[in-house]
Amino acid sequence: MKQRYNELTHPLCLRAAFACYDDKWHRPDFRALMWKYGGVSDQELRRDEARQAINIKLVAMEGIAYEMEQRVLDLLDGDPDALELDPVKERPHIDGIKQKRRIIAECCVMHQLLNHLAVQGLMPLLMARILPQQHASIPGRGQVGCKRQVERYLRRKSLGIRYALKLDVEKAYPSTNPAIVLGLLRREIPSARWLLTLVEALLAMSPRGGLIIGGYLEAWLFNFIMSYALRYILSRGKYKRGAWQPLVGRLVAYMDDACLLGRRRADLVSAARQLAKWMQAELGLSLTMGAEVAFLSIEEEHRRRHLKGAACGCPGLDIAGFVIHRTYTTIRKTTFLRARRQYLRAGRGMEKDGYVPQYRAHKLVSYYGYFTETASRAARDRLKVDKIESAAAKTISRYARAAALAESKRQQERQLCYA
């Protein structure tokens, strides 16, 4: 069998360092680490960026990669304090609509670098175990990928999907026992001593004992253990007239939410109960059944869409920020409220000042995809989404050009001073 982990090498550390620094080159804490371990000053970095070169960055990444490699080797030699990481800080985050309180973790830069190194080492195993139906925290999938997969399932007549059942893992990250995660990893890659030792040390940094919310490694590990649960439920079935039939036709998962799709409601409920017992016994996680959806036929949805008021509504599956019906998709109510609020404020600001301020521009651009990926033409026209998004994009571009010009002028002034 092909080896399902990567050995600890300098190129692997270098690749992890570049992955961690992606889109973070400008942050002061990341630049400070480049000076500490790479010997590269902020002035040299600015000069290199002005020439659109990467020579100085390569030098800095080499130094950081060597430091990461040495710390892991010291950890393998038995030094428990070899990683020398700052304690994980936590801060509360309040959802603006539901007022739900979450504890978000903030890790130091070296902690983030070692997280990326662990993921790079685990990548062959993760790619072998994580299913195509899992979408959260996986590049190239995400919310839109989850939405499109559900749409394909519902609109494929051969599947005959009529019902959907949502499942939710209670307090998924805090309730996940690191010992169970390490047990699964040891069973899969028993010879990866450096990787198991590093992952164990990183998981021990959690202030509350479970997986931290906001950790790069933790997001991949939760997808890893959830793949076992999803693979279990796909294997459940029954015999009908001598033929074996699966209880679940199709499923999708996004973070701690999963959705079972099938022909019979009773089969989905039976599968959910079996999965809840298995997850409690094997993974120590509690699973709760959420909303049930009975999809209408294509003809019935088309008939209702021509009605007025509340009569035009059709049952839909609420997942990954979208409400998915058989023939169309809309935006989740709470997400739409937040987006509508931002676009209304931006519209009033444009009428008064003629432009979109920078602090709001990024929010408007991030919400734009919800309107382009759903059947929201009326709301899109009423809120003038396209016009406001275009103005927000111009604001972002204008501030980026101004920052680059100011940086270029500062560099020229420094060069004149040194001359």
Side-chain angles (χ1 to χ4, degrees), residues 267-298:
D267 289 346
L268 299 183
V269 173
S270 174
R273 289 173 178 168
Q274 293 181 44
L275 179 61
K277 293 180 181 178
W278 185 88
M279 290 186 66
Q280 185 64 53
E282 299 295 329
L283 303 179
L285 297 175
S286 300
L287 190 71
T288 58
M289 286 189 285
E292 301 178 10
V293 181
F295 295 103
L296 302 177
S297 64
I298 295 176

Side-chain angles (χ1 to χ4, degrees), residues 165-172 175 222 226 229-230 232-233 255-260 268-281 283-290:
L165 176 62
K166 280 194 66 177
L167 306 175
D168 178 67
V169 182
E170 291 186 8
K171 299 181 179 178
S175 300
F222 185 77
M226 276 299 294
L230 301 180
Y232 171 83
I233 199 62
M255 297 181 69
D256 57 347
D257 292 333
C259 176
L260 309 182
L268 299 183
V269 173
S270 174
R273 289 173 178 168
Q274 293 181 44
L275 179 61
K277 293 180 181 178
W278 185 88
M279 290 186 66
Q280 185 64 53
L283 303 179
L285 297 175
S286 300
L287 190 71
T288 58
M289 286 189 285

Side-chain angles (χ1 to χ4, degrees), residues 87-102:
V88 176
K89 299 178 181 179
E90 294 182 328
R91 61 176 177 84
H93 174 75
I94 307 298
D95 189 304
I97 297 295
K98 292 185 176 180
Q99 296 298 306
K100 188 175 181 179
R101 186 175 184 269
R102 294 183 176 89

Side-chain angles (χ1 to χ4, degrees), residues 30 45 117 184 187 203 218 244 295 319 328 348 369 390 402:
F30 279 78
L45 284 170
L117 177 59
L184 294 175
R187 189 174 70 183
L203 292 181
E218 285 75 7
W244 186 88
F295 295 103
I319 191 170
Y328 66 100
R348 290 193 295 266
S390 178

Side-chain angles (χ1 to χ4, degrees), residues 38-154:
V40 174
S41 66
D42 200 47
Q43 180 186 354
E44 291 175 314
L45 284 170
R46 291 195 181 100
R47 189 183 303 122
D48 214 40
E49 290 170 351
R51 294 197 298 261
Q52 296 184 351
I54 61 170
N55 299 336
I56 295 298
K57 290 181 179 179
L58 286 173
V59 172
M61 291 298 102
E62 285 283 349
I64 291 174
Y66 278 120
E67 178 65 22
M68 294 164 60
E69 186 177 4
Q70 188 60 52
R71 291 194 184 193
V72 176
L73 292 175
D74 292 343
L75 183 66
L76 289 173
D77 289 339
D79 184 2
D81 301 322
L83 298 184
E84 299 179 9
L85 302 179
D86 297 336
V88 176
K89 299 178 181 179
E90 294 182 328
R91 61 176 177 84
H93 174 75
I94 307 298
D95 189 304
I97 297 295
K98 292 185 176 180
Q99 296 298 306
K100 188 175 181 179
R101 186 175 184 269
R102 294 183 176 89
I103 302 298
I104 306 298
E106 294 180 349
C107 305
C108 66
V109 179
M110 184 55 71
H111 194 150
Q112 297 179 47
L113 286 163
L114 293 173
N115 273 348
H116 279 265
L117 177 59
V119 171
Q120 289 292 333
L122 289 169
M123 194 54 68
L125 173 63
L126 296 174
M127 290 296 98
R129 284 298 179 187
I130 293 177
L131 300 176
Q133 293 91 338
Q134 295 178 258
H135 296 275
S137 305
I138 301 175
R141 301 186 191 180
Q143 293 173 269
V144 175
C146 181
K147 175 192 80 79
R148 291 177 179 174
Q149 190 173 59
V150 174
E151 289 174 342
R152 288 195 298 270
Y153 290 159
L154 292 179

Side-chain angles (χ1 to χ4, degrees), residues 214-387:
Y216 182 72
L217 172 63
E218 285 75 7
W220 282 97
L221 290 179
F222 185 77
N223 277 327
F224 170 68
I225 65 170
M226 276 299 294
S227 68
Y228 287 87
L230 301 180
R231 200 172 285 107
Y232 171 83
I233 199 62
L234 289 174
S235 68
R236 298 295 89 190
K238 63 179 182 179
Y239 282 94
K240 186 176 181 180
R241 299 185 182 93
W244 186 88
Q245 295 180 353
L247 293 177
V248 176
R250 292 291 187 273
L251 59 80
V252 293
Y254 187 82
M255 297 181 69
D256 57 347
D257 292 333
C259 176
L260 309 182
L261 303 165
R263 296 173 179 265
R264 297 182 69 245
R265 175 186 174 277
D267 289 346
L268 299 183
V269 173
S270 174
R273 289 173 178 168
Q274 293 181 44
L275 179 61
K277 293 180 181 178
W278 185 88
M279 290 186 66
Q280 185 64 53
E282 299 295 329
L283 303 179
L285 297 175
S286 300
L287 190 71
T288 58
M289 286 189 285
E292 301 178 10
V293 181
F295 295 103
L296 302 177
S297 64
I298 295 176
E299 295 76 17
E300 179 63 17
E301 282 198 359
H302 282 308
R303 187 189 69 82
R304 288 198 182 188
R305 291 301 303 277
H306 291 88
L307 301 178
K308 301 294 184 181
C312 71
C314 303
L317 173 63
D318 186 340
I319 191 170
F322 299 95
V323 181
I324 308 169
H325 308 263
R326 194 179 295 277
T327 58
Y328 66 100
T329 301
T330 57
I331 309 173
R332 177 184 290 168
K333 181 179 178 180
T334 53
T335 304
F336 177 75
L337 289 176
R338 290 196 296 267
R340 177 179 178 273
R341 182 181 299 167
Q342 292 298 327
Y343 276 99
L344 286 175
R345 290 172 177 172
R348 290 193 295 266
M350 284 188 64
E351 291 179 359
K352 180 181 179 181
D353 303 322
Y355 69 97
V356 176
Q358 184 189 20
Y359 69 88
R360 180 165 287 131
H362 292 278
K363 296 180 181 179
L364 297 171
V365 171
S366 67
Y367 282 123
Y368 184 61
Y370 286 104
F371 291 93
T372 59
E373 292 290 336
T374 57
S376 308
R377 187 178 303 171
R380 188 173 170 180
D381 294 339
R382 185 170 61 252
L383 296 173
K384 301 178 181 179
V385 170
D386 294 314
K387 179 181 177 181

